């Protein structure tokens, strides 16, 4: 699993006409909707520099326009390429999923993305919408500062790219225990193989154990002593200028 | 994948001219190596004499009961320790010995070899300067 994660992290560049959606770029849906050689009409997006991006996953934002104008919600997804922000439970519409020939499908509510111009960050104490700017603190840390009140908006802790939550990671897991405790504990990962240590994983205690004994011998000399290798030959002297 | 998009778009036609020409391509008489080093000497009679010292030998210790494994659990926190400096090594290894000898009264400034002092690097297999080992 980790090797595929490494390979996907080193993914190639997206083609220039790629149409971004709410899906991750290396998923089945992306491949279906962006077959190689497809050329679609270009989507024009207000250019925002990567350093200037202010809205992150886990932020509270207020919706300014649309059906749910005036309501606040948590950001669940951000698509920088299209200036999109998906807020949980707001700007929703209902649709059918998992339709088959016989079954009409499950009717679910799904959120539509909102543009940056329809969104406003919210002051953490006031809980009122504010304009936000990137500024530097006395220590030199780059933080988001609300222009109205001057309070710092801390960036919420971002989830890992591979979706693993280290707090929910289980250490050694025997196959003998049932799946009941695993499925309830972890959020997205249900199979214990994807959220437990495998046979090639060092446990946390072993990894943090300090076993270094300082000595004046070099690494090679210590190994020769340990293995009982005796080397009396010496290399011939050579000179370089 | 990128090559396929180019082909489909019709910008580049023909064979792939960019991929490296390895020993897997070409005719069967095209003999090409993969960059292995020669382990000996080719004499004037075209006989190859193997030099045993050039043949790499893996020195592997017995790993029974060894707790460290190739990967680390996600639970272990990130971070690293600062590298050991010469001063720290001296303070941990040599300074206690010198202090003990000074307290016993047996400290001899002209005999520092017993604390690990090396006046020259001549005659040593692994010389520290100029460094003649890889690690």
């Amino acid at each position: 699993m980790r090797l595929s994660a490494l390979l996907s992290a080193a993914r190639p560049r997206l083609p220039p006409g790629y149409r971004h959606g709410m899906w991750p770029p290396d998923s089945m849906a992306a491949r279906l909707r962006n077959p190689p050689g497809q050329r679609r009409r270009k989507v024009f997006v207000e250019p925002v520099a990567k350093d200037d991006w202010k809205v992150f996953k886990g932020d509270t934002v207020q919706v300014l326009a649309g059906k749910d104008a005036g309501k606040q919600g948590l950001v669940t997804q951000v698509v920088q390429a299209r200036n999109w922000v998906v807020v949980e439970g707001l700007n929703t519409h209902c649709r059918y999923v998992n339709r088959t020939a016989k079954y009409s499908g499950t009717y679910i509510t799904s959120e539509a993305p909102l543009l940056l111009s329809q969104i406003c960050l919210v002051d953490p104490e006031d809980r009122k919408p504010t304009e936000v700017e990137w500024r530097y603190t006395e220590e030199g840390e780059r933080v988001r500062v609300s222009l109205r009140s001057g309070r710092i908006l801390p960036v919420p802790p971002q989830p890992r790219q591979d979706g693993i939550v280290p707090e929910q990671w289980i250490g050694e897991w025997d196959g003998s225990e049932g799946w009941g405790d695993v499925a309830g504990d972890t959020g997205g990962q249900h199979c214990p193989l994807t959220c437990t240590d495998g046979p090639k994983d060092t446990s946390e205690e072993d990894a943090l154990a300090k076993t270094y004994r300082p000595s004046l011998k070099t690494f090679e000399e210590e190994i020769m002593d340990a293995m009982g290798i005796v080397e009396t030959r010496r290399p011939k002297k050579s000179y370089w200028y | 994948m990128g090559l396929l998009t180019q082909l489909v778009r019709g910008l580049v036609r023909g064979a792939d001219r960019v991929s490296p020409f390895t020993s897997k391509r070409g005719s069967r008489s095209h003999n090409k190596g993969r960059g292995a080093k020669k382990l000996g000497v080719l004499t004037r009679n075209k006989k190859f004499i193997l030099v045993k010292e050039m043949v790499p030998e893996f020195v592997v210790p017995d790993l029974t009961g060894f707790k460290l494994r190739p990967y680390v659990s996600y639970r272990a926190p990130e971070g690293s320790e600062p590298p050991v400096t010469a001063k720290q090594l001296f303070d941990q290894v040599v300074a206690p010995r010198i202090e003990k000898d000074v307290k016993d009264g047996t400290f001899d400034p002209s005999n520092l070899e017993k604390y690990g002092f090396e006046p020259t690097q001549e005659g040593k297999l692994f010389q520290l300067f100029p460094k003649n080992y890889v690690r």
Side-chain angles (χ1 to χ4, degrees):
Chain A
M1 188 200 100
R2 272 171 217 88
L3 183 62
S4 57
L6 268 171
L7 291 171
S8 64
R11 62 187 176 276
R13 216 165 48 99
L14 295 169
Y18 184 83
R19 169 75 65 110
H20 290 260
M22 309 234 298
W23 54 79
D26 49 354
S27 61
M28 275 301 296
R31 263 176 271 158
L32 262 174
R33 282 167 181 72
N34 284 297
Q38 181 204 68
R39 300 184 69 173
R40 289 197 64 174
R41 268 200 208 125
K42 188 178 163 179
V43 167
F44 292 95
V45 142
E46 191 199 330
V48 176
K50 200 158 156 65
D51 310 324
D52 213 18
W53 191 264
K54 296 184 182 86
V55 188
F56 297 95
K57 246 199 231 188
D59 265 334
T60 323
V61 292
Q62 173 150 336
V63 181
L64 305 170
K67 200 169 63 164
D68 297 316
K71 294 189 192 161
Q72 294 186 359
L74 249 177
V75 170
T76 46
Q77 204 181 338
V78 156
V79 181
Q80 286 199 16
R82 292 191 69 165
N83 285 4
W84 272 351
V85 159
V86 175
V87 186
E88 196 181 359
L90 299 182
N91 201 23
T92 54
H93 55 272
C94 299
R95 61 183 174 111
Y96 286 97
V97 290
N98 288 338
R99 240 185 66 103
T100 54
K102 294 175 193 164
Y103 177 52
S104 52
T106 328
Y107 197 59
I108 57 156
T109 54
S110 61
E111 297 90 6
L114 287 153
L115 283 171
L116 272 190
S117 49
Q118 299 165 329
I119 278 288
C120 201
L121 280 165
V122 152
D123 201 302
E125 278 110 69
D126 271 355
R127 285 190 259 153
K128 298 231 177 72
T130 47
E131 291 294 312
V132 167
E133 211 182 43
W134 281 106
R135 284 195 202 150
Y136 291 89
T137 58
E138 295 277 323
E139 289 87 41
E141 200 193 328
R142 191 164 182 254
V143 287
R144 304 182 296 179
V145 167
S146 145
L147 289 179
R148 188 160 47 84
S149 59
R151 284 188 209 105
I152 292 176
L153 273 71
V155 175
Q158 295 295 295
R160 285 170 60 115
Q161 286 286 328
D162 45 21
I164 291 162
V165 186
E167 289 82 26
Q168 292 170 355
W169 192 262
I170 299 163
E172 306 262 335
W173 181 75
D174 302 330
S176 56
E177 293 163 22
W179 281 35
D181 55 336
V182 169
D185 199 16
T186 62
Q189 327 255 348
H190 292 285
C191 174
L193 291 171
T194 52
C195 49
T196 53
D197 282 349
K200 290 191 184 174
D201 281 303
T202 331
S203 64
E204 194 191 349
E205 304 81 32
D206 289 335
L208 296 173
K210 282 195 187 188
T211 52
Y212 172 60
R213 286 193 306 279
S215 85
L216 294 173
K217 287 194 195 286
T218 59
F219 185 56
E220 288 83 4
E221 283 167 5
E222 280 183 8
I223 290 178
M224 278 172 70
D225 288 340
M227 306 276 289
I229 300 168
V230 174
E231 184 62 67
T232 46
R233 298 173 296 178
R234 292 287 177 267
K236 272 215 180 84
K237 247 188 148 356
S238 66
Y239 301 89
W240 57 276
Y241 304 94
Chain B
M1 179 61 194
L3 173 67
L4 285 174
T5 54
Q6 283 181 30
L7 284 177
V8 168
R9 286 190 189 180
L11 292 170
V12 172
R13 286 173 218 274
D16 180 10
R17 291 180 70 108
V18 181
S19 63
F21 193 81
T22 67
S23 52
K24 292 208 167 256
R25 299 173 60 182
S27 65
R28 49 191 174 202
S29 63
H30 186 256
N31 187 16
K32 194 177 175 349
R34 279 292 220 162
K37 304 285 184 211
K38 293 219 164 30
L39 294 175
V41 163
L42 195 67
T43 58
R44 64 182 73 209
N45 293 332
K46 289 188 212 162
K47 186 182 164 184
F48 186 79
I49 298 177
L50 184 79
V51 176
K52 196 172 162 299
E53 280 76 25
M54 287 213 246
V55 174
E57 189 192 333
F58 287 102
V59 175
V60 183
D62 189 22
L63 289 176
T64 54
F66 189 59
K67 299 221 189 85
L68 300 181
R69 291 185 206 166
Y71 301 96
V72 179
S73 165
Y74 280 106
R75 284 223 316 240
E78 281 181 31
S80 63
E81 289 194 0
V84 174
T85 57
K87 188 174 191 308
Q88 283 174 6
L89 197 61
F90 182 88
D91 289 337
Q92 283 166 1
V93 176
V94 178
R97 290 186 211 160
I98 295 182
E99 274 179 37
K100 183 165 152 311
D101 279 351
V102 167
K103 278 188 193 132
D104 292 344
T106 55
F107 179 65
D108 184 13
S110 58
N111 180 25
L112 294 174
E113 272 81 4
K114 68 182 250 209
Y115 307 116
F117 175 66
E118 279 150 3
T120 53
Q121 298 288 310
E122 303 282 320
K124 277 179 70 181
L125 184 56
F126 298 108
Q127 294 170 6
L128 294 172
F129 48 91
K131 194 167 166 198
N132 66 351
Y133 54 97
V134 175
R135 297 187 85 252

